[in-house]
Amino acid sequence: MTEEKEIISQSENLQSDKMRNTKIGKLLFTMSLPAIFSMLVQALYNIVDSIFLTGIDYKIKGYVGSDVGADSFLAVSIVMPMTMLVVAIAIGIGVGANAYIARKLGEGNKLNADKCAKTAIIMALCAWAVMIVLAFTVSRPFVAAFASDENATDINYVIEQGALYLTVYMALSGGLIIDITLARILQATGNMKIPMISQLAGALTNIGLDALFIIAFKMGVFGAILATVIGQWVAAAIDLIVFFVKKQDVSISLKGFKPSKHYFLRITKIGAPALIMNAMGSVITIIMNIMLKEYANGVNVLSAYFKVQSFVFMPVFGLMQGTMPILSYNYGANEKKRFNDTFKLALYVALGVMAVGTLLFQLCPEALMSIFKSKIPDDASPEKIAELTAKNELFVKEGAYAFRCISIAFVPAAFSILLINMLQSINCPISSLLMSLSRQLIFLIPSALLFNYLWKMQGIWFCYPFAEILAVLVYLPFAIRDYRKQFQYKAKQYQEHLLGG
Protein backbone atom coordinates (compact mmCIF):
# COMPACT_ATOMS: atom_id res chain seq x y z
CA MET A 1 0.00 0.00 0.00
CA THR A 2 1.44 3.35 -1.00
CA GLU A 3 1.76 6.23 1.39
CA GLU A 4 -0.79 8.28 -0.55
CA LYS A 5 -3.42 5.53 -0.23
CA GLU A 6 -2.98 5.26 3.52
CA ILE A 7 -5.06 8.39 4.05
CA ILE A 8 -7.72 8.12 6.71
CA SER A 9 -10.37 10.67 7.47
CA GLN A 10 -10.51 11.98 10.99
CA SER A 11 -13.84 12.32 12.76
CA GLU A 12 -12.16 13.58 15.90
CA ASN A 13 -10.98 17.15 16.45
CA LEU A 14 -7.20 17.24 16.60
CA GLN A 15 -5.17 19.83 18.45
CA SER A 16 -3.19 20.34 15.25
CA ASP A 17 -6.31 21.68 13.44
CA LYS A 18 -5.51 25.12 14.83
CA MET A 19 -2.65 25.37 12.33
CA ARG A 20 -5.26 25.48 9.56
CA ASN A 21 -7.79 27.80 11.20
CA THR A 22 -6.19 30.21 13.71
CA LYS A 23 -5.05 33.66 12.54
CA ILE A 24 -1.38 33.58 11.59
CA GLY A 25 -0.22 36.31 13.97
CA LYS A 26 -1.91 34.73 16.97
CA LEU A 27 -0.88 31.22 15.87
CA LEU A 28 2.80 32.08 15.41
CA PHE A 29 2.82 33.94 18.72
CA THR A 30 1.23 31.10 20.68
CA MET A 31 3.33 28.43 18.94
CA SER A 32 6.66 30.25 19.25
CA LEU A 33 6.47 32.05 22.58
CA PRO A 34 6.72 28.91 24.76
CA ALA A 35 9.70 27.67 22.74
CA ILE A 36 11.39 31.08 22.84
CA PHE A 37 10.88 31.33 26.59
CA SER A 38 12.22 27.85 27.27
CA MET A 39 15.25 28.41 25.03
CA LEU A 40 16.02 31.70 26.75
CA VAL A 41 16.02 29.81 30.02
CA GLN A 42 18.45 27.35 28.43
CA ALA A 43 20.65 30.28 27.37
CA LEU A 44 20.51 31.61 30.92
CA TYR A 45 21.66 28.23 32.19
CA ASN A 46 24.68 28.34 29.85
CA ILE A 47 25.71 31.68 31.31
CA VAL A 48 25.04 30.75 34.93
CA ASP A 49 26.94 27.48 34.55
CA SER A 50 29.96 29.40 33.25
CA ILE A 51 29.74 31.98 36.04
CA PHE A 52 29.82 29.20 38.63
CA LEU A 53 32.85 27.57 36.98
CA THR A 54 34.90 30.75 36.48
CA GLY A 55 33.99 31.74 40.04
CA ILE A 56 35.65 28.70 41.59
CA ASP A 57 38.26 30.01 44.02
CA TYR A 58 38.46 27.19 46.55
CA LYS A 59 41.30 24.69 46.69
CA ILE A 60 40.87 21.53 44.62
CA LYS A 61 42.91 18.46 45.50
CA GLY A 62 45.82 17.95 43.12
CA TYR A 63 45.44 21.29 41.34
CA VAL A 64 48.82 23.00 40.79
CA GLY A 65 47.90 25.81 38.39
CA SER A 66 47.44 29.51 39.04
CA ASP A 67 43.82 30.08 37.88
CA VAL A 68 41.43 27.26 38.76
CA GLY A 69 38.39 29.16 37.50
CA ALA A 70 39.84 29.75 34.04
CA ASP A 71 41.12 26.16 33.81
CA SER A 72 37.72 24.78 34.83
CA PHE A 73 36.04 26.94 32.20
CA LEU A 74 38.61 25.79 29.64
CA ALA A 75 37.94 22.11 30.41
CA VAL A 76 34.24 22.58 29.69
CA SER A 77 34.96 24.81 26.68
CA ILE A 78 37.11 22.12 25.06
CA VAL A 79 34.38 19.47 25.29
CA MET A 80 31.67 21.82 23.96
CA PRO A 81 31.96 20.57 20.34
CA MET A 82 31.23 17.00 21.45
CA THR A 83 28.25 18.05 23.53
CA MET A 84 27.04 20.01 20.49
CA LEU A 85 27.30 16.79 18.45
CA VAL A 86 24.99 14.95 20.85
CA VAL A 87 22.48 17.78 20.64
CA ALA A 88 22.79 17.79 16.83
CA ILE A 89 21.86 14.11 16.58
CA ALA A 90 18.84 14.61 18.84
CA ILE A 91 17.73 17.68 16.86
CA GLY A 92 18.11 15.80 13.58
CA ILE A 93 15.75 13.07 14.80
CA GLY A 94 13.36 15.60 16.32
CA VAL A 95 13.19 17.92 13.30
CA GLY A 96 12.73 15.00 10.88
CA ALA A 97 9.85 13.64 12.95
CA ASN A 98 8.41 17.11 13.52
CA ALA A 99 8.15 18.10 9.84
CA TYR A 100 6.86 14.71 8.70
CA ILE A 101 4.25 14.38 11.47
CA ALA A 102 2.96 17.92 10.94
CA ARG A 103 2.73 17.34 7.18
CA LYS A 104 0.84 14.06 7.59
CA LEU A 105 -1.58 15.65 10.07
CA GLY A 106 -2.10 18.47 7.58
CA GLU A 107 -2.99 15.88 4.93
CA GLY A 108 -5.37 14.15 7.36
CA ASN A 109 -3.15 11.08 7.68
CA LYS A 110 -2.94 10.28 11.40
CA LEU A 111 -1.89 6.67 10.80
CA ASN A 112 1.42 7.62 9.20
CA ALA A 113 1.96 10.36 11.79
CA ASP A 114 1.68 7.73 14.55
CA LYS A 115 4.16 5.40 12.85
CA CYS A 116 6.64 8.24 12.40
CA ALA A 117 6.45 9.21 16.09
CA LYS A 118 7.13 5.65 17.22
CA THR A 119 10.02 5.28 14.79
CA ALA A 120 11.54 8.49 16.15
CA ILE A 121 11.52 7.05 19.68
CA ILE A 122 13.38 3.94 18.51
CA MET A 123 15.93 6.12 16.71
CA ALA A 124 16.44 8.18 19.87
CA LEU A 125 17.17 5.06 21.93
CA CYS A 126 19.63 3.80 19.31
CA ALA A 127 21.40 7.16 19.29
CA TRP A 128 21.78 6.98 23.07
CA ALA A 129 23.36 3.53 22.79
CA VAL A 130 25.94 4.91 20.36
CA MET A 131 26.72 7.80 22.73
CA ILE A 132 27.38 5.36 25.59
CA VAL A 133 30.02 3.59 23.49
CA LEU A 134 31.65 6.87 22.47
CA ALA A 135 31.65 8.13 26.07
CA PHE A 136 34.18 5.53 27.16
CA THR A 137 36.34 5.58 24.03
CA VAL A 138 36.83 9.14 22.78
CA SER A 139 36.50 11.43 25.82
CA ARG A 140 40.07 11.54 27.09
CA PRO A 141 41.81 11.55 23.67
CA PHE A 142 39.55 14.36 22.52
CA VAL A 143 40.26 16.62 25.49
CA ALA A 144 44.00 15.85 25.40
CA ALA A 145 44.14 16.96 21.76
CA PHE A 146 43.02 20.51 22.62
CA ALA A 147 44.61 21.19 26.01
CA SER A 148 47.99 22.88 25.75
CA ASP A 149 50.44 24.78 27.93
CA GLU A 150 49.54 27.92 25.97
CA ASN A 151 45.91 27.96 27.14
CA ALA A 152 46.04 26.11 30.50
CA THR A 153 47.89 26.81 33.74
CA ASP A 154 47.48 23.15 34.78
CA ILE A 155 47.15 20.98 31.68
CA ASN A 156 46.67 17.73 33.63
CA TYR A 157 43.76 19.23 35.56
CA VAL A 158 42.12 20.42 32.34
CA ILE A 159 42.46 16.98 30.71
CA GLU A 160 41.19 15.09 33.76
CA GLN A 161 38.20 17.35 34.37
CA GLY A 162 37.32 17.72 30.69
CA ALA A 163 37.40 13.94 30.16
CA LEU A 164 35.26 13.40 33.26
CA TYR A 165 32.69 15.97 32.09
CA LEU A 166 32.44 14.51 28.58
CA THR A 167 32.23 10.89 29.72
CA VAL A 168 29.34 11.56 32.09
CA TYR A 169 27.58 13.83 29.59
CA MET A 170 27.61 11.30 26.75
CA ALA A 171 26.96 8.19 28.86
CA LEU A 172 23.85 9.76 30.41
CA SER A 173 22.74 11.71 27.32
CA GLY A 174 19.55 9.66 27.00
CA GLY A 175 17.64 12.30 28.93
CA LEU A 176 18.67 15.01 26.47
CA ILE A 177 17.99 12.91 23.35
CA ILE A 178 14.59 11.69 24.54
CA ASP A 179 13.56 15.17 25.71
CA ILE A 180 14.40 16.85 22.39
CA THR A 181 12.72 14.09 20.35
CA LEU A 182 9.50 14.10 22.41
CA ALA A 183 9.39 17.90 22.49
CA ARG A 184 9.55 18.10 18.68
CA ILE A 185 6.85 15.43 18.33
CA LEU A 186 4.57 17.42 20.63
CA GLN A 187 5.33 20.64 18.74
CA ALA A 188 4.35 18.93 15.48
CA THR A 189 0.83 18.52 16.88
CA GLY A 190 0.66 22.16 17.95
CA ASN A 191 1.41 21.47 21.62
CA MET A 192 4.04 24.02 22.57
CA LYS A 193 3.18 24.34 26.25
CA ILE A 194 4.49 20.97 27.47
CA PRO A 195 7.92 21.32 25.77
CA MET A 196 8.21 24.75 27.38
CA ILE A 197 7.33 23.39 30.82
CA SER A 198 9.70 20.41 30.53
CA GLN A 199 12.65 22.48 29.34
CA LEU A 200 11.97 25.14 31.94
CA ALA A 201 11.86 22.53 34.69
CA GLY A 202 15.06 20.94 33.42
CA ALA A 203 16.93 24.24 33.19
CA LEU A 204 15.81 25.46 36.61
CA THR A 205 16.78 22.11 38.12
CA ASN A 206 20.15 22.47 36.46
CA ILE A 207 20.74 25.99 37.74
CA GLY A 208 19.66 25.11 41.28
CA LEU A 209 21.86 22.03 41.41
CA ASP A 210 24.79 24.03 39.97
CA ALA A 211 24.64 26.32 42.98
CA LEU A 212 24.32 23.36 45.34
CA PHE A 213 27.03 21.16 43.83
CA ILE A 214 29.60 23.76 42.73
CA ILE A 215 29.28 26.39 45.45
CA ALA A 216 27.86 24.61 48.51
CA PHE A 217 29.40 21.15 48.08
CA LYS A 218 32.52 22.42 46.21
CA MET A 219 32.33 19.62 43.64
CA GLY A 220 33.86 21.71 40.82
CA VAL A 221 33.49 20.50 37.23
CA PHE A 222 31.95 17.19 38.33
CA GLY A 223 29.21 19.13 40.10
CA ALA A 224 28.50 21.03 36.88
CA ILE A 225 28.01 17.92 34.76
CA LEU A 226 26.02 16.14 37.46
CA ALA A 227 23.60 19.07 37.58
CA THR A 228 23.38 19.08 33.79
CA VAL A 229 22.39 15.44 33.30
CA ILE A 230 19.91 15.48 36.20
CA GLY A 231 18.21 18.51 34.64
CA GLN A 232 18.03 16.74 31.27
CA TRP A 233 16.38 13.67 32.76
CA VAL A 234 13.86 15.80 34.66
CA ALA A 235 12.80 17.37 31.34
CA ALA A 236 12.55 13.97 29.62
CA ALA A 237 10.50 12.53 32.49
CA ILE A 238 7.92 15.32 32.18
CA ASP A 239 7.53 14.70 28.43
CA LEU A 240 7.09 10.97 28.96
CA ILE A 241 4.53 11.43 31.72
CA VAL A 242 2.43 13.69 29.46
CA PHE A 243 2.31 11.09 26.69
CA PHE A 244 1.24 8.31 29.01
CA VAL A 245 -1.31 10.14 31.18
CA LYS A 246 -3.12 12.13 28.48
CA LYS A 247 -3.97 11.18 24.91
CA GLN A 248 -2.08 13.21 22.30
CA ASP A 249 -2.66 13.60 18.55
CA VAL A 250 -0.01 10.92 18.00
CA SER A 251 0.99 7.88 20.04
CA ILE A 252 4.52 6.83 21.04
CA SER A 253 3.56 3.46 22.52
CA LEU A 254 5.81 0.78 21.06
CA LYS A 255 3.51 -2.10 22.04
CA GLY A 256 2.98 -4.27 18.97
CA PHE A 257 4.80 -1.77 16.74
CA LYS A 258 6.99 -3.15 13.95
CA PRO A 259 9.65 -0.68 12.81
CA SER A 260 9.64 0.18 9.12
CA LYS A 261 12.59 1.29 7.03
CA HIS A 262 10.26 3.71 5.25
CA TYR A 263 9.77 5.96 8.29
CA PHE A 264 13.39 5.70 9.36
CA LEU A 265 14.44 6.96 5.93
CA ARG A 266 11.80 9.71 5.95
CA ILE A 267 12.95 11.03 9.33
CA THR A 268 16.60 10.78 8.30
CA LYS A 269 16.01 12.52 4.97
CA ILE A 270 14.09 15.44 6.45
CA GLY A 271 16.17 15.74 9.60
CA ALA A 272 19.57 15.39 7.94
CA PRO A 273 19.95 19.12 7.16
CA ALA A 274 19.17 20.06 10.78
CA LEU A 275 21.50 17.34 12.07
CA ILE A 276 24.30 18.38 9.75
CA MET A 277 23.73 22.07 10.41
CA ASN A 278 24.11 21.51 14.14
CA ALA A 279 26.85 18.89 13.72
CA MET A 280 28.70 21.32 11.49
CA GLY A 281 28.65 23.69 14.45
CA SER A 282 30.53 20.99 16.35
CA VAL A 283 32.97 20.34 13.52
CA ILE A 284 33.55 24.05 12.93
CA THR A 285 34.20 24.63 16.62
CA ILE A 286 36.74 21.80 16.62
CA ILE A 287 38.53 23.26 13.61
CA MET A 288 38.39 26.76 15.09
CA ASN A 289 39.76 25.46 18.39
CA ILE A 290 42.67 23.85 16.53
CA MET A 291 43.59 27.30 15.24
CA LEU A 292 42.72 29.16 18.45
CA LYS A 293 44.55 26.88 20.91
CA GLU A 294 47.77 28.57 19.78
CA TYR A 295 46.53 31.81 21.38
CA ALA A 296 46.31 32.16 25.17
CA ASN A 297 42.64 33.23 25.27
CA GLY A 298 41.45 31.90 21.91
CA VAL A 299 39.44 28.83 22.98
CA ASN A 300 37.85 30.57 25.97
CA VAL A 301 36.91 33.65 23.92
CA LEU A 302 35.09 31.48 21.35
CA SER A 303 33.34 29.56 24.13
CA ALA A 304 32.29 32.79 25.83
CA TYR A 305 30.93 34.08 22.52
CA PHE A 306 28.80 30.97 21.97
CA LYS A 307 27.33 31.23 25.44
CA VAL A 308 26.42 34.92 25.15
CA GLN A 309 25.20 34.78 21.54
CA SER A 310 22.73 32.10 22.59
CA PHE A 311 20.63 34.93 24.05
CA VAL A 312 20.33 36.26 20.49
CA PHE A 313 20.08 33.03 18.54
CA MET A 314 17.95 31.02 20.98
CA PRO A 315 14.86 33.26 20.48
CA VAL A 316 15.26 32.82 16.72
CA PHE A 317 15.62 29.05 17.10
CA GLY A 318 12.56 29.09 19.35
CA LEU A 319 10.72 31.05 16.68
CA MET A 320 11.74 28.39 14.16
CA GLN A 321 10.36 25.66 16.44
CA GLY A 322 7.01 27.40 16.28
CA THR A 323 7.31 28.19 12.57
CA MET A 324 8.32 24.73 11.32
CA PRO A 325 5.09 22.84 12.15
CA ILE A 326 2.94 25.70 10.83
CA LEU A 327 4.83 25.77 7.53
CA SER A 328 4.87 21.96 7.26
CA TYR A 329 1.18 21.63 8.12
CA ASN A 330 0.05 24.29 5.64
CA TYR A 331 2.32 22.91 2.94
CA GLY A 332 0.75 19.50 3.55
CA ALA A 333 -2.72 21.10 3.43
CA ASN A 334 -1.77 23.12 0.28
CA GLU A 335 -2.61 26.38 2.09
CA LYS A 336 -0.13 28.53 0.19
CA LYS A 337 -1.31 31.92 1.48
CA ARG A 338 -1.07 30.84 5.12
CA PHE A 339 2.37 29.40 4.39
CA ASN A 340 3.52 32.71 2.87
CA ASP A 341 2.05 34.83 5.66
CA THR A 342 3.77 32.68 8.28
CA PHE A 343 7.12 32.89 6.50
CA LYS A 344 6.97 36.69 6.15
CA LEU A 345 5.98 37.29 9.75
CA ALA A 346 8.67 34.91 11.05
CA LEU A 347 11.26 36.68 8.90
CA TYR A 348 10.33 40.13 10.23
CA VAL A 349 10.54 38.91 13.82
CA ALA A 350 13.86 37.11 13.26
CA LEU A 351 15.38 40.18 11.61
CA GLY A 352 14.23 42.37 14.50
CA VAL A 353 15.76 40.06 17.10
CA MET A 354 19.04 39.85 15.21
CA ALA A 355 19.20 43.63 14.74
CA VAL A 356 18.83 44.15 18.48
CA GLY A 357 21.49 41.50 19.11
CA THR A 358 23.87 43.24 16.72
CA LEU A 359 23.46 46.54 18.55
CA LEU A 360 24.05 44.82 21.89
CA PHE A 361 27.27 43.16 20.72
CA GLN A 362 28.53 46.33 19.04
CA LEU A 363 27.81 48.76 21.89
CA CYS A 364 28.70 46.86 25.07
CA PRO A 365 30.85 43.77 24.35
CA GLU A 366 33.19 44.56 27.27
CA ALA A 367 30.32 44.23 29.71
CA LEU A 368 29.32 40.91 28.15
CA MET A 369 32.85 39.55 28.32
CA SER A 370 33.28 40.64 31.94
CA ILE A 371 30.83 37.90 32.92
CA PHE A 372 33.55 35.32 32.27
CA LYS A 373 36.43 36.93 34.17
CA SER A 374 38.17 34.70 36.67
CA LYS A 375 37.43 35.40 40.31
CA ILE A 376 40.39 36.70 42.31
CA PRO A 377 40.64 34.90 45.68
CA ASP A 378 40.20 37.10 48.74
CA ASP A 379 43.45 35.85 50.26
CA ALA A 380 45.53 36.36 47.10
CA SER A 381 48.88 38.09 47.39
CA PRO A 382 49.43 41.50 45.73
CA GLU A 383 51.50 39.81 43.02
CA LYS A 384 48.73 37.27 42.39
CA ILE A 385 46.11 40.01 42.25
CA ALA A 386 48.17 41.95 39.70
CA GLU A 387 48.70 38.83 37.57
CA LEU A 388 45.03 37.81 37.47
CA THR A 389 43.87 41.41 36.92
CA ALA A 390 46.13 41.79 33.87
CA LYS A 391 45.01 38.41 32.57
CA ASN A 392 41.33 39.33 32.95
CA GLU A 393 41.84 42.69 31.22
CA LEU A 394 43.46 41.05 28.19
CA PHE A 395 40.74 38.38 28.07
CA VAL A 396 37.98 41.03 28.06
CA LYS A 397 39.74 43.15 25.44
CA GLU A 398 40.27 40.25 23.03
CA GLY A 399 36.75 38.96 23.59
CA ALA A 400 35.14 42.35 22.99
CA TYR A 401 36.94 42.65 19.67
CA ALA A 402 35.73 39.17 18.65
CA PHE A 403 32.14 40.00 19.66
CA ARG A 404 32.08 43.10 17.46
CA CYS A 405 33.49 41.25 14.46
CA ILE A 406 31.26 38.17 14.64
CA SER A 407 28.02 40.07 15.33
CA ILE A 408 28.14 41.53 11.82
CA ALA A 409 26.84 38.07 10.81
CA PHE A 410 23.65 38.23 12.90
CA VAL A 411 21.25 39.85 10.41
CA PRO A 412 22.24 37.71 7.39
CA ALA A 413 22.08 34.67 9.69
CA ALA A 414 18.35 35.37 10.21
CA PHE A 415 17.80 34.94 6.47
CA SER A 416 19.86 31.75 6.36
CA ILE A 417 18.15 30.09 9.33
CA LEU A 418 14.63 30.83 8.08
CA LEU A 419 15.40 29.72 4.51
CA ILE A 420 16.80 26.44 5.81
CA ASN A 421 13.72 26.01 8.00
CA MET A 422 11.40 26.72 5.05
CA LEU A 423 13.19 24.26 2.76
CA GLN A 424 12.86 21.51 5.37
CA SER A 425 9.13 22.18 5.73
CA ILE A 426 8.47 21.78 1.97
CA ASN A 427 10.46 18.54 1.72
CA CYS A 428 13.62 19.95 0.09
CA PRO A 429 16.26 18.41 2.36
CA ILE A 430 19.05 18.47 -0.23
CA SER A 431 18.75 22.22 -0.84
CA SER A 432 18.51 22.82 2.90
CA LEU A 433 21.54 20.62 3.48
CA LEU A 434 23.65 22.39 0.86
CA MET A 435 22.86 25.79 2.33
CA SER A 436 23.70 24.54 5.82
CA LEU A 437 27.00 23.09 4.65
CA SER A 438 27.94 26.25 2.77
CA ARG A 439 27.33 28.73 5.58
CA GLN A 440 28.99 26.54 8.20
CA LEU A 441 31.71 24.70 6.31
CA ILE A 442 32.28 25.37 2.62
CA PHE A 443 32.45 29.16 2.98
CA LEU A 444 33.46 29.41 6.63
CA ILE A 445 36.52 27.20 7.01
CA PRO A 446 38.54 28.37 3.98
CA SER A 447 37.94 31.99 4.95
CA ALA A 448 38.92 31.24 8.58
CA LEU A 449 42.17 29.63 7.45
CA LEU A 450 42.93 32.52 5.10
CA PHE A 451 42.10 35.27 7.60
CA ASN A 452 44.06 33.52 10.34
CA TYR A 453 47.07 33.27 8.01
CA LEU A 454 46.83 36.94 7.01
CA TRP A 455 45.85 38.64 10.29
CA LYS A 456 46.16 35.99 13.05
CA MET A 457 43.48 35.95 15.76
CA GLN A 458 42.32 39.49 14.94
CA GLY A 459 41.33 38.39 11.43
CA ILE A 460 39.90 34.97 12.11
CA TRP A 461 36.62 36.30 13.58
CA PHE A 462 35.58 37.88 10.25
CA CYS A 463 35.02 34.45 8.70
CA TYR A 464 31.56 34.31 10.32
CA PRO A 465 29.99 37.38 8.63
CA PHE A 466 31.78 36.54 5.38
CA ALA A 467 30.24 33.04 5.25
CA GLU A 468 26.72 34.16 6.26
CA ILE A 469 26.50 36.94 3.69
CA LEU A 470 27.86 34.78 0.89
CA ALA A 471 25.45 31.91 1.71
CA VAL A 472 22.40 34.18 1.45
CA LEU A 473 23.55 35.71 -1.84
CA VAL A 474 24.24 32.32 -3.41
CA TYR A 475 21.25 30.29 -2.19
CA LEU A 476 18.33 32.73 -2.15
CA PRO A 477 17.52 32.21 -5.88
CA PHE A 478 17.60 28.42 -5.43
CA ALA A 479 15.29 28.61 -2.40
CA ILE A 480 12.74 30.62 -4.40
CA ARG A 481 12.92 28.05 -7.21
CA ASP A 482 12.35 25.13 -4.83
CA TYR A 483 9.43 26.89 -3.14
CA ARG A 484 7.60 27.40 -6.43
CA LYS A 485 8.31 23.86 -7.62
CA GLN A 486 7.12 22.17 -4.42
CA PHE A 487 3.83 24.04 -4.22
CA GLN A 488 3.11 23.22 -7.84
CA TYR A 489 3.68 19.57 -6.99
CA LYS A 490 1.45 19.74 -3.90
CA ALA A 491 -1.36 21.43 -5.85
CA LYS A 492 -1.18 18.67 -8.46
CA GLN A 493 -1.49 15.99 -5.76
CA TYR A 494 -4.72 17.56 -4.53
CA GLN A 495 -6.09 18.07 -8.02
CA GLU A 496 -5.58 14.40 -8.74
CA HIS A 497 -7.24 13.48 -5.40
CA LEU A 498 -4.13 11.77 -4.03
CA LEU A 499 -4.34 13.67 -0.74
CA GLY A 500 -6.98 14.95 1.65
CA GLY A 501 -9.10 13.48 4.41
Side-chain angles (χ1 to χ4, degrees):
M1 183 179 291
T2 64
E3 178 182 322
E4 287 75 21
K5 291 181 180 178
E6 286 185 319
I7 306 301
I8 57 173
S9 61
Q10 303 299 313
S11 58
E12 56 188 309
N13 290 323
L14 298 179
Q15 183 173 214
S16 52
D17 288 343
K18 68 182 181 181
M19 288 187 281
R20 185 195 300 267
N21 305 315
T22 306
K23 289 183 178 180
I24 292 300
K26 179 181 179 182
L27 179 62
L28 187 60
F29 179 80
T30 56
M31 290 281 286
S32 301
L33 188 62
I36 291 172
F37 179 73
S38 61
M39 297 197 83
L40 281 173
V41 173
Q42 291 290 333
L44 176 63
Y45 150 69
N46 288 332
I47 295 292
V48 172
D49 190 53
S50 299
I51 292 174
F52 283 130
L53 287 173
T54 55
I56 295 176
D57 61 351
Y58 45 80
K59 296 185 182 299
I60 293 180
K61 185 178 179 180
Y63 180 75
V64 297
S66 60
D67 193 344
V68 65
D71 282 347
S72 298
F73 183 54
L74 177 62
V76 177
S77 298
I78 288 173
V79 306
M80 184 177 67
M82 291 300 291
T83 64
M84 291 169 64
L85 179 62
V86 179
V87 174
I89 293 171
I91 289 177
I93 297 170
V95 167
N98 178 288
Y100 188 81
I101 290 170
R103 191 185 313 145
K104 292 296 113 178
L105 291 175
E107 294 172 359
N109 190 342
K110 186 176 182 298
L111 177 61
N112 281 10
D114 271 350
K115 291 180 178 178
C116 178
K118 294 174 182 179
T119 303
I121 299 302
I122 293 175
M123 292 174 68
L125 294 175
C126 291
W128 181 21
V130 173
M131 291 304 110
I132 292 175
V133 175
L134 293 177
F136 296 100
T137 55
V138 305
S139 296
R140 178 175 289 274
F142 182 85
V143 177
F146 294 95
S148 67
D149 291 326
E150 285 78 16
N151 57 25
T153 64
D154 185 347
I155 188 172
N156 291 326
Y157 172 83
V158 171
I159 293 174
E160 290 293 332
Q161 295 302 305
L164 174 64
Y165 188 100
L166 186 55
T167 300
V168 175
Y169 185 95
M170 297 183 77
L172 299 179
S173 62
L176 171 72
I177 298 172
I178 293 170
D179 171 47
I180 291 176
T181 302
L182 291 179
R184 292 303 178 96
I185 291 173
L186 287 168
Q187 289 166 355
T189 70
N191 187 339
M192 307 299 292
K193 184 180 295 184
I194 296 303
M196 178 191 72
I197 293 173
S198 65
Q199 291 182 36
L200 177 61
L204 292 179
T205 299
N206 200 331
I207 293 172
L209 292 179
D210 265 336
L212 182 65
F213 294 158
I214 300 176
I215 303 302
F217 294 167
K218 298 184 178 181
M219 296 170 65
V221 173
F222 180 67
I225 185 53
L226 193 60
T228 296
V229 295
I230 291 175
Q232 291 169 352
W233 277 103
V234 167
I238 293 173
D239 293 330
L240 285 168
I241 290 171
V242 167
F243 268 102
F244 289 111
V245 302
K246 184 178 180 181
K247 184 178 180 182
Q248 304 296 321
D249 285 7
V250 294
S251 169
I252 63 168
S253 174
L254 300 179
K255 184 178 180 180
F257 176 66
K258 295 181 179 180
S260 168
K261 182 174 71 173
H262 170 79
Y263 298 99
F264 171 82
L265 292 176
R266 286 285 182 169
I267 293 172
T268 302
K269 180 181 178 182
I270 300 169
L275 188 157
I276 292 175
M277 181 172 68
N278 286 275
M280 279 302 102
S282 172
V283 174
I284 296 308
T285 305
I286 290 173
I287 297 173
M288 293 292 287
N289 281 348
I290 291 174
M291 290 183 273
L292 292 170
K293 75 174 186 177
E294 304 301 324
Y295 307 105
N297 293 318
V299 174
N300 276 352
V301 165
L302 184 63
S303 179
Y305 161 73
F306 277 122
K307 292 179 183 299
V308 176
Q309 61 98 298
S310 63
F311 276 100
V312 181
F313 278 80
M314 285 298 190
V316 176
F317 291 144
L319 176 68
M320 294 306 105
Q321 286 188 29
T323 303
M324 169 72 87
I326 301 174
L327 293 177
S328 298
Y329 184 100
N330 284 289
Y331 168 66
N334 196 34
E335 295 285 348
K336 188 174 181 179
K337 184 179 185 305
R338 287 179 65 82
F339 183 99
N340 292 345
D341 291 344
T342 302
F343 180 87
K344 291 176 184 177
L345 182 57
L347 179 60
Y348 297 151
V349 175
L351 289 174
V353 171
M354 288 300 197
V356 172
T358 302
L359 288 175
L360 181 66
F361 272 65
Q362 291 293 326
L363 297 178
C364 51
E366 291 85 1
L368 298 175
M369 276 302 300
S370 295
I371 296 171
F372 303 96
K373 292 193 301 184
S374 297
K375 185 177 180 181
I376 300 176
D378 295 333
D379 59 350
S381 65
E383 294 78 11
K384 181 73 171 179
I385 293 174
E387 176 189 347
L388 291 179
T389 299
K391 184 178 179 181
N392 281 334
E393 288 176 353
L394 179 62
F395 177 61
V396 170
K397 180 181 177 181
E398 292 181 342
Y401 176 83
F403 280 21
R404 287 194 173 98
C405 297
I406 302 174
S407 62
I408 300 171
F410 287 179
V411 170
F415 283 98
S416 296
I417 293 168
L418 189 53
L419 285 175
I420 291 169
N421 199 62
M422 183 271 288
L423 289 168
Q424 290 170 351
S425 72
I426 61 173
N427 199 27
C428 291
I430 302 301
S431 297
S432 177
L433 177 58
L434 287 174
M435 187 171 185
S436 298
L437 285 172
S438 295
R439 64 185 285 261
Q440 295 199 79
L441 181 64
I442 299 172
F443 298 154
L444 185 71
I445 290 303
S447 60
L449 292 169
L450 176 62
F451 298 161
N452 183 48
Y453 174 77
L454 293 175
W455 303 296
K456 303 301 181 183
M457 193 168 75
Q458 285 191 323
I460 198 171
W461 309 117
F462 285 101
C463 69
Y464 289 97
F466 176 84
E468 290 288 4
I469 294 170
L470 190 58
V472 173
L473 293 176
V474 170
Y475 284 97
L476 181 59
F478 294 100
I480 295 172
R481 180 204 64 184
D482 289 338
Y483 158 80
R484 291 172 176 169
K485 180 180 177 180
Q486 288 302 103
F487 265 101
Q488 288 173 357
Y489 170 71
K490 185 60 64 178
K492 183 179 178 181
Q493 284 185 304
Y494 273 91
Q495 289 168 3
E496 296 177 359
H497 304 289
L498 295 175
L499 298 174

